[in-house]
Short mmCIF file of all heavy atoms in Angstrom, two decimals:
data_model
loop_
_atom_site.label_atom_id
_atom_site.label_comp_id
_atom_site.label_asym_id
_atom_site.label_seq_id
_atom_site.Cartn_x
_atom_site.Cartn_y
_atom_site.Cartn_z
N ALA A 466 0.81 -1.21 0.00
CA ALA A 466 0.00 0.00 0.00
C ALA A 466 0.85 1.26 0.00
O ALA A 466 0.49 2.25 -0.63
CB ALA A 466 -0.91 -0.01 1.23
N GLU A 467 1.96 1.25 0.70
CA GLU A 467 2.79 2.46 0.80
C GLU A 467 3.30 2.88 -0.56
O GLU A 467 3.38 4.06 -0.86
CB GLU A 467 3.97 2.21 1.74
CG GLU A 467 4.88 3.41 1.95
CD GLU A 467 4.24 4.49 2.77
OE1 GLU A 467 3.23 4.22 3.42
OE2 GLU A 467 4.75 5.63 2.74
N ALA A 468 3.65 1.92 -1.39
CA ALA A 468 4.15 2.26 -2.73
C ALA A 468 3.09 2.98 -3.53
O ALA A 468 3.37 3.94 -4.24
CB ALA A 468 4.58 0.99 -3.46
N MET A 469 1.88 2.52 -3.41
CA MET A 469 0.80 3.18 -4.12
C MET A 469 0.55 4.58 -3.56
O MET A 469 0.19 5.51 -4.28
CB MET A 469 -0.48 2.36 -4.02
CG MET A 469 -0.36 0.95 -4.62
SD MET A 469 0.17 0.98 -6.37
CE MET A 469 1.91 0.54 -6.22
N ASN A 470 0.75 4.75 -2.25
CA ASN A 470 0.57 6.06 -1.64
C ASN A 470 1.63 7.05 -2.11
O ASN A 470 1.42 8.25 -2.09
CB ASN A 470 0.62 5.95 -0.11
CG ASN A 470 -0.62 5.29 0.45
OD1 ASN A 470 -1.67 5.27 -0.20
ND2 ASN A 470 -0.51 4.74 1.64
N CYS A 471 2.81 6.52 -2.50
CA CYS A 471 3.85 7.38 -3.03
C CYS A 471 3.35 8.12 -4.26
O CYS A 471 3.65 9.29 -4.48
CB CYS A 471 5.10 6.56 -3.40
SG CYS A 471 6.03 5.97 -1.98
N LYS A 472 2.57 7.43 -5.08
CA LYS A 472 2.01 8.06 -6.25
C LYS A 472 0.89 9.02 -5.87
O LYS A 472 0.78 10.12 -6.38
CB LYS A 472 1.45 7.01 -7.22
CG LYS A 472 2.51 6.14 -7.86
CD LYS A 472 1.88 5.20 -8.87
CE LYS A 472 2.92 4.33 -9.55
NZ LYS A 472 2.30 3.44 -10.56
N ALA A 473 0.04 8.57 -4.95
CA ALA A 473 -1.13 9.36 -4.59
C ALA A 473 -0.77 10.69 -3.96
O ALA A 473 -1.51 11.66 -4.05
CB ALA A 473 -2.01 8.56 -3.64
N LYS A 474 0.39 10.75 -3.27
CA LYS A 474 0.73 11.97 -2.56
C LYS A 474 1.26 13.06 -3.49
O LYS A 474 1.39 14.21 -3.10
CB LYS A 474 1.78 11.69 -1.49
CG LYS A 474 3.18 11.40 -2.05
CD LYS A 474 4.17 11.18 -0.94
CE LYS A 474 5.58 10.93 -1.50
NZ LYS A 474 6.55 10.73 -0.43
N MET A 475 1.56 12.70 -4.75
CA MET A 475 2.06 13.68 -5.69
C MET A 475 0.94 14.60 -6.14
O MET A 475 -0.22 14.22 -6.16
CB MET A 475 2.68 12.98 -6.91
CG MET A 475 3.82 12.05 -6.55
SD MET A 475 5.16 12.87 -5.70
CE MET A 475 5.77 13.94 -7.00
N PRO A 476 1.26 15.86 -6.52
CA PRO A 476 0.23 16.79 -6.99
C PRO A 476 -0.53 16.20 -8.16
O PRO A 476 0.06 15.75 -9.13
CB PRO A 476 1.05 18.02 -7.42
CG PRO A 476 2.30 17.93 -6.63
CD PRO A 476 2.59 16.46 -6.48
N GLY A 477 -1.85 16.18 -8.06
CA GLY A 477 -2.66 15.66 -9.15
C GLY A 477 -2.88 14.17 -9.09
O GLY A 477 -3.58 13.61 -9.93
N GLY A 478 -2.25 13.50 -8.12
CA GLY A 478 -2.45 12.06 -8.00
C GLY A 478 -1.58 11.28 -8.96
O GLY A 478 -0.69 11.80 -9.61
N SER A 479 -1.84 9.99 -9.06
CA SER A 479 -0.98 9.09 -9.82
C SER A 479 -0.98 9.38 -11.30
O SER A 479 -0.04 9.03 -12.00
CB SER A 479 -1.39 7.64 -9.56
OG SER A 479 -2.75 7.45 -9.96
N ASP A 480 -2.03 10.02 -11.83
CA ASP A 480 -2.08 10.27 -13.26
C ASP A 480 -1.07 11.32 -13.69
O ASP A 480 -0.64 11.33 -14.83
CB ASP A 480 -3.50 10.73 -13.67
CG ASP A 480 -4.51 9.60 -13.52
OD1 ASP A 480 -4.08 8.43 -13.53
OD2 ASP A 480 -5.71 9.90 -13.38
N SER A 481 -0.74 12.24 -12.78
CA SER A 481 0.17 13.31 -13.15
C SER A 481 1.57 13.14 -12.58
O SER A 481 2.39 14.03 -12.69
CB SER A 481 -0.39 14.67 -12.67
OG SER A 481 -0.42 14.69 -11.26
N ILE A 482 1.85 12.03 -11.95
CA ILE A 482 3.15 11.83 -11.32
C ILE A 482 4.26 11.78 -12.35
O ILE A 482 4.11 11.21 -13.43
CB ILE A 482 3.15 10.53 -10.48
CG1 ILE A 482 4.46 10.39 -9.71
CG2 ILE A 482 2.95 9.31 -11.35
CD1 ILE A 482 4.46 9.23 -8.75
N ASP A 483 5.38 12.42 -12.04
CA ASP A 483 6.57 12.30 -12.86
C ASP A 483 7.24 10.99 -12.46
O ASP A 483 7.80 10.87 -11.37
CB ASP A 483 7.50 13.49 -12.61
CG ASP A 483 8.68 13.50 -13.57
OD1 ASP A 483 9.09 12.40 -13.99
OD2 ASP A 483 9.17 14.59 -13.89
N MET A 484 7.20 10.03 -13.32
CA MET A 484 7.65 8.69 -12.97
C MET A 484 9.17 8.60 -12.74
O MET A 484 9.67 7.58 -12.32
CB MET A 484 7.24 7.70 -14.08
CG MET A 484 5.74 7.60 -14.27
SD MET A 484 4.87 7.10 -12.76
CE MET A 484 5.32 5.37 -12.68
N GLU A 485 9.89 9.66 -13.06
CA GLU A 485 11.34 9.63 -12.88
C GLU A 485 11.80 10.47 -11.70
O GLU A 485 12.79 10.15 -11.05
CB GLU A 485 12.03 10.13 -14.16
CG GLU A 485 11.86 9.19 -15.35
CD GLU A 485 12.63 9.67 -16.56
OE1 GLU A 485 13.09 10.83 -16.55
OE2 GLU A 485 12.77 8.90 -17.52
N THR A 486 11.09 11.57 -11.38
CA THR A 486 11.60 12.52 -10.39
C THR A 486 10.80 12.57 -9.10
O THR A 486 11.15 13.36 -8.21
CB THR A 486 11.64 13.94 -10.99
OG1 THR A 486 10.30 14.35 -11.28
CG2 THR A 486 12.45 13.96 -12.27
N TRP A 487 9.78 11.76 -8.96
CA TRP A 487 8.90 11.85 -7.79
C TRP A 487 9.62 11.64 -6.46
O TRP A 487 9.19 12.13 -5.42
CB TRP A 487 7.76 10.83 -7.91
CG TRP A 487 8.23 9.41 -7.95
CD1 TRP A 487 8.52 8.68 -9.06
CD2 TRP A 487 8.46 8.54 -6.84
NE1 TRP A 487 8.94 7.42 -8.72
CE2 TRP A 487 8.90 7.30 -7.36
CE3 TRP A 487 8.34 8.68 -5.46
CZ2 TRP A 487 9.22 6.22 -6.54
CZ3 TRP A 487 8.66 7.60 -4.65
CH2 TRP A 487 9.09 6.39 -5.20
N TRP A 488 10.73 10.96 -6.48
CA TRP A 488 11.42 10.58 -5.25
C TRP A 488 12.53 11.55 -4.85
O TRP A 488 13.12 11.43 -3.78
CB TRP A 488 12.01 9.18 -5.40
CG TRP A 488 12.85 8.99 -6.64
CD1 TRP A 488 12.41 8.90 -7.94
CD2 TRP A 488 14.27 8.85 -6.72
NE1 TRP A 488 13.47 8.71 -8.79
CE2 TRP A 488 14.61 8.66 -8.08
CE3 TRP A 488 15.28 8.84 -5.75
CZ2 TRP A 488 15.92 8.49 -8.50
CZ3 TRP A 488 16.59 8.66 -6.17
CH2 TRP A 488 16.90 8.48 -7.53
N PHE A 489 12.83 12.54 -5.69
CA PHE A 489 13.97 13.42 -5.46
C PHE A 489 13.85 14.18 -4.13
O PHE A 489 14.80 14.26 -3.36
CB PHE A 489 14.12 14.43 -6.60
CG PHE A 489 14.60 13.83 -7.90
CD1 PHE A 489 14.81 12.47 -8.03
CD2 PHE A 489 14.85 14.64 -9.00
CE1 PHE A 489 15.25 11.92 -9.23
CE2 PHE A 489 15.29 14.11 -10.19
CZ PHE A 489 15.49 12.75 -10.32
N GLU A 490 12.69 14.76 -3.88
CA GLU A 490 12.50 15.58 -2.69
C GLU A 490 12.66 14.77 -1.42
O GLU A 490 13.32 15.21 -0.46
CB GLU A 490 11.12 16.24 -2.73
CG GLU A 490 10.79 17.08 -1.50
CD GLU A 490 11.69 18.29 -1.35
OE1 GLU A 490 12.22 18.78 -2.37
OE2 GLU A 490 11.86 18.74 -0.20
N ASP A 491 12.10 13.57 -1.39
CA ASP A 491 12.16 12.75 -0.17
C ASP A 491 13.60 12.36 0.18
O ASP A 491 13.99 12.39 1.35
CB ASP A 491 11.31 11.49 -0.35
CG ASP A 491 9.82 11.79 -0.31
OD1 ASP A 491 9.46 12.89 0.14
OD2 ASP A 491 9.04 10.93 -0.73
N VAL A 492 14.39 11.99 -0.82
CA VAL A 492 15.75 11.52 -0.52
C VAL A 492 16.73 12.67 -0.36
O VAL A 492 17.89 12.44 0.03
CB VAL A 492 16.25 10.54 -1.61
CG1 VAL A 492 15.31 9.37 -1.75
CG2 VAL A 492 16.45 11.24 -2.95
N SER A 493 16.30 13.90 -0.63
CA SER A 493 17.21 15.03 -0.49
C SER A 493 17.55 15.32 0.97
O SER A 493 18.48 16.08 1.26
CB SER A 493 16.61 16.29 -1.14
OG SER A 493 15.46 16.71 -0.44
N VAL A 494 16.82 14.71 1.91
CA VAL A 494 17.11 14.92 3.34
C VAL A 494 18.23 14.03 3.83
O VAL A 494 18.72 14.20 4.95
CB VAL A 494 15.84 14.67 4.18
CG1 VAL A 494 14.71 15.56 3.74
CG2 VAL A 494 15.41 13.20 4.13
N LEU A 495 18.65 13.08 3.03
CA LEU A 495 19.65 12.10 3.48
C LEU A 495 21.04 12.72 3.58
O LEU A 495 21.41 13.58 2.78
CB LEU A 495 19.69 10.91 2.52
CG LEU A 495 18.43 10.07 2.42
CD1 LEU A 495 18.61 8.94 1.41
CD2 LEU A 495 18.01 9.51 3.77
N ARG A 496 21.79 12.24 4.54
CA ARG A 496 23.19 12.64 4.68
C ARG A 496 23.98 12.09 3.50
O ARG A 496 23.60 11.10 2.87
CB ARG A 496 23.74 12.10 6.00
CG ARG A 496 25.04 12.74 6.46
CD ARG A 496 25.38 12.25 7.85
NE ARG A 496 25.61 10.81 7.87
CZ ARG A 496 25.81 10.09 8.98
NH1 ARG A 496 25.80 10.70 10.16
NH2 ARG A 496 26.02 8.79 8.91
N ILE A 497 25.12 12.70 3.19
CA ILE A 497 25.85 12.37 1.97
C ILE A 497 26.22 10.90 1.87
O ILE A 497 26.11 10.29 0.81
CB ILE A 497 27.12 13.26 1.83
CG1 ILE A 497 27.84 12.95 0.52
CG2 ILE A 497 28.02 13.10 3.02
CD1 ILE A 497 27.03 13.22 -0.72
N ASP A 498 26.67 10.27 2.98
CA ASP A 498 27.06 8.87 2.89
C ASP A 498 25.87 7.97 2.59
O ASP A 498 25.98 7.02 1.80
CB ASP A 498 27.78 8.42 4.17
CG ASP A 498 26.95 8.69 5.42
OD1 ASP A 498 26.09 9.59 5.40
OD2 ASP A 498 27.15 7.99 6.43
N HIS A 499 24.71 8.29 3.19
CA HIS A 499 23.52 7.51 2.90
C HIS A 499 23.02 7.78 1.48
O HIS A 499 22.54 6.87 0.80
CB HIS A 499 22.42 7.83 3.91
CG HIS A 499 22.77 7.43 5.30
ND1 HIS A 499 22.21 8.02 6.42
CD2 HIS A 499 23.65 6.50 5.78
CE1 HIS A 499 22.71 7.46 7.51
NE2 HIS A 499 23.60 6.54 7.14
#
């Protein structure tokens, strides 16, 4: 379910999700080694 929610949380829902860049913002919080 969480994977599907990743799409749903994007602006416009899963139909408008950028299938390549949707994850950039979430992982930008990681420390450099991670």
